Amino acid sequence: MQVDDTLPYSKSMRRRFRVLFSPLRLVLFGAAILFSIALNIVYISNGGSPEWVGALSVVPLLAFVGWLLATDYTLRRNEKNQS
């Protein structure tokens, strides 16, 4: 079965996954997960002593999600303006 990749961005799940989960984004997502794990280990091992560490551990994941949403919105808007 041959995959037809001529569908527009908003209709092709394959194209969206290829753009939104490029190798660079996967590496950065892995780094964000490792950063969160490391900070949570510090937070738990110190008995929750530095309160800001718990909140800081979520920031890279939220930044990653924000980047994905901004990219998706931009590509959908560009596609809509081209039509």
Side-chain angles (χ1 to χ4, degrees):
M1 179 176 156
Q2 188 171 0
V3 177
D4 184 20
D5 201 20
T6 59
L7 292 172
Y9 175 81
S10 62
K11 304 273 187 222
S12 173
M13 187 64 75
R14 181 176 185 220
R15 182 174 284 177
R16 269 188 268 166
F17 279 140
R18 195 172 341 138
V19 170
L20 297 177
F21 295 105
S22 67
L24 172 64
R25 288 179 193 251
L26 287 176
V27 168
L28 292 176
F29 180 69
I33 294 291
L34 291 175
F35 183 77
S36 295
I37 290 171
L39 283 184
N40 278 316
I41 288 172
V42 168
Y43 180 71
I44 291 170
S45 66
N46 288 337
S49 150
E51 292 86 13
W52 56 269
V53 173
L56 183 66
S57 69
V58 181
V59 171
L61 295 174
L62 292 176
F64 181 78
V65 169
W67 186 23
L68 284 178
L69 292 175
T71 301
D72 187 58
Y73 175 75
T74 302
L75 291 173
R76 287 176 186 262
R77 186 183 65 217
N78 291 343
E79 181 181 284
K80 185 178 179 183
N81 289 339
Q82 288 178 356
S83 299

